[in-house]
Amino acid sequence: MSTMIDTATATTTLHLLQPKDYARWDAFVAATPDATFFHRAGWQTIIERTYGHKTWFYYAEQDGRIVGILPLAQMKSRMFGHWLGSLPFCVLGGIVATADAARPLLDNAADQLARQLGVGHLEMRNLVPAHADDSKWLRKDLYVTFRKEISGDDEENMNAIPRKQRAMVRKGIKLGLTGKIDQGVDRFFACYASSVHRLGTPVFPKKYFSIIKEVFGDECEIRIIVREQQLIGAVMSFYFRDEVLPYYGGGMPAARETAGNDFMYWNLMQAAAARGVRIFDFGRSKLGTGAFDFKKNWGFAPTPLEYEYRLYAAPELPDNNPLNPKYQLFIKMWKKMPIGLANFLGPFIVRNLG
């Protein structure tokens, strides 16, 4: 498909991403400061191959150059509704544009697609508001992100951690915890699945993590934490520009008594700083959760994420999150379920949450 807008300086055309243009798309992402790791073309492959969701990765072009992008995916289920988002399974993914004509072109494409599909709502995940003056778009305070600059000096980074949290890190060090890179996802998945089961949250399929690792290669790192031969914890992180983004992680039951999670993020911070990383992105958390408190305890200040919603067939904003009271009984039941059964059933549920 191709749509055209004439401007005073150039003609802007709209296109759908094809595999042959992945490199061009990613080159635009790498060169554009507002773009993030979650704008990478690889997410199209991951979402389609893992879950079979339909995607539309739009890009605007001027004089043969990409000047704007908008990745979209459709989510459709009886339990969680029918919606279009940029981008499910990602923290961010809204419009990124370097030409004035590109943003309205991409916005209009999303609006037309949402109407064509008959979705309940359209969601844009932004770091800063993109439609603040447009009454058709709504927002709600739910998520924040935690980002902080780190130095190349371990002692300086350690001293920047508040005293109580620093004591937990030192506990893990004294107990002999060590971290190392793992090339497979099996041990990582065991830690991740154990953690989310204790939280009463459905698990992503192991296939999802295998495809992420396959698609992003060395830009995706799996780090495991062990005490001698005992598996304690694991984290999957992304490297992008001068940033490290620990994205999925978890610990075995022994992580609590060994300060395994505390040590794990310190170990990652050390390794990332040593390779020249200067931004530690602790990722998204919901307000009022344990993950939110944990990240604040590290001395990271929360920054609100500007998620914007446009309603179509839906009468109100979606509320598909564990803090919704209607899910509390489900969470209690899930925690009591045998982990093997939870790991089998979880992917059928979480595939539609995004």
Side-chain angles (χ1 to χ4, degrees):
M1 58 90 54
S2 178
T3 302
M4 198 162 27
I5 285 183
D6 289 316
T7 68
T9 56
T11 298
T12 308
T13 55
L14 182 70
H15 307 269
L16 278 172
L17 180 65
Q18 304 297 326
K20 64 182 177 64
D21 292 311
Y22 278 10
R24 293 179 62 220
W25 175 291
D26 280 343
F28 173 82
V29 170
T32 307
D34 289 343
T36 71
F37 187 83
F38 303 106
H39 287 92
R40 293 286 305 275
W43 289 104
Q44 182 174 56
T45 301
I46 292 163
I47 291 170
E48 290 184 352
R49 278 182 56 191
T50 306
Y51 304 107
H53 296 312
K54 292 182 179 179
T55 66
W56 294 260
F57 277 42
Y58 289 108
Y59 67 91
E61 191 173 66
Q62 283 182 2
D63 299 325
R65 295 179 300 106
I66 294 177
V67 293
I69 59 172
L70 174 61
L72 291 164
Q74 178 185 215
M75 309 288 285
K76 190 175 185 179
S77 77
R78 290 182 179 178
M79 187 179 298
F80 301 114
H82 182 197
W83 57 284
L84 184 67
S86 180
L87 191 63
F89 307 102
C90 296
V91 170
L92 297 165
I95 293 172
V96 175
T98 56
D100 290 342
R103 183 173 293 277
L105 188 64
L106 293 164
D107 247 333
N108 186 60
D111 176 48
Q112 289 188 9
L113 181 60
R115 294 177 188 278
Q116 176 188 327
L117 296 174
V119 300
H121 72 275
L122 170 64
E123 178 181 348
M124 296 279 192
R125 299 182 176 181
N126 309 305
L127 190 58
V128 296
H131 305 91
D133 299 323
D134 190 337
S135 61
K136 294 188 296 291
W137 287 86
L138 308 172
R139 63 176 302 278
K140 62 178 178 179
D141 296 320
L142 178 61
Y143 292 107
V144 298
T145 189
F146 291 85
R147 291 166 55 84
K148 187 177 180 181
E149 190 169 342
I150 60 174
S151 96
D153 182 80
D154 281 352
E155 186 176 356
E156 187 175 335
N157 288 329
M158 179 68 85
N159 290 334
I161 302 171
R163 181 177 57 82
K164 289 184 178 179
Q165 183 59 48
R166 190 164 65 239
M168 296 298 290
V169 172
R170 294 196 187 281
K171 177 180 177 179
I173 295 172
K174 289 176 181 177
L175 288 174
L177 302 188
T178 58
K180 58 183 180 179
I181 306 300
D182 204 357
Q183 296 304 321
V185 301
D186 289 351
R187 287 188 286 186
F188 160 80
F189 184 78
C191 295
Y192 162 77
S194 177
S195 276
V196 297
H197 182 249
R198 293 195 300 274
L199 292 171
T201 304
V203 67
F204 286 109
K206 188 188 292 188
K207 173 185 176 183
Y208 173 58
F209 301 108
S210 295
I211 294 175
I212 288 176
K213 179 60 179 169
E214 176 190 335
V215 168
F216 292 127
D218 290 342
E219 293 168 302
C220 172
E221 178 192 272
I222 297 173
R223 177 172 295 271
I224 64 167
I225 303 302
V226 296
R227 186 183 187 190
E228 297 178 348
Q229 301 302 313
Q230 182 185 16
L231 181 62
I232 300 295
V235 58
M236 173 181 277
S237 305
F238 303 133
Y239 284 89
F240 181 69
R241 299 190 184 122
D242 64 342
E243 306 174 20
V244 63
L245 300 88
Y247 201 53
Y248 293 109
M252 304 301 286
R256 178 179 290 273
E257 64 199 48
T258 59
N261 289 328
D262 310 272
F263 175 84
M264 178 170 71
Y265 290 111
W266 167 248
N267 185 253
L268 173 62
M269 188 180 292
Q270 278 186 301
R275 60 186 276 180
V277 167
R278 291 298 172 261
I279 299 293
F280 194 94
D281 187 333
F282 233 144
R284 182 181 81 172
S285 290
K286 297 181 186 74
L287 293 166
T289 63
F292 176 93
D293 293 336
F294 178 77
K295 293 169 186 179
K296 276 196 71 175
N297 289 344
W298 278 75
F300 284 60
T303 300
L305 287 169
E306 300 293 342
Y307 285 12
E308 298 174 321
Y309 305 84
R310 184 169 177 179
L311 301 182
Y312 292 88
E316 59 186 5
L317 290 176
D319 194 16
N320 295 327
N321 79 83
L323 299 179
N324 187 333
K326 75 177 184 180
Y327 295 126
Q328 293 309 303
L329 180 59
F330 172 87
I331 290 171
K332 290 178 182 177
M333 291 173 56
W334 200 268
K335 289 178 179 180
K336 296 177 181 179
M337 186 183 299
I339 191 168
L341 181 60
N343 287 352
F344 173 75
L345 295 176
F348 294 101
I349 299 172
V350 78
R351 70 184 302 274
N352 294 307
L353 281 172

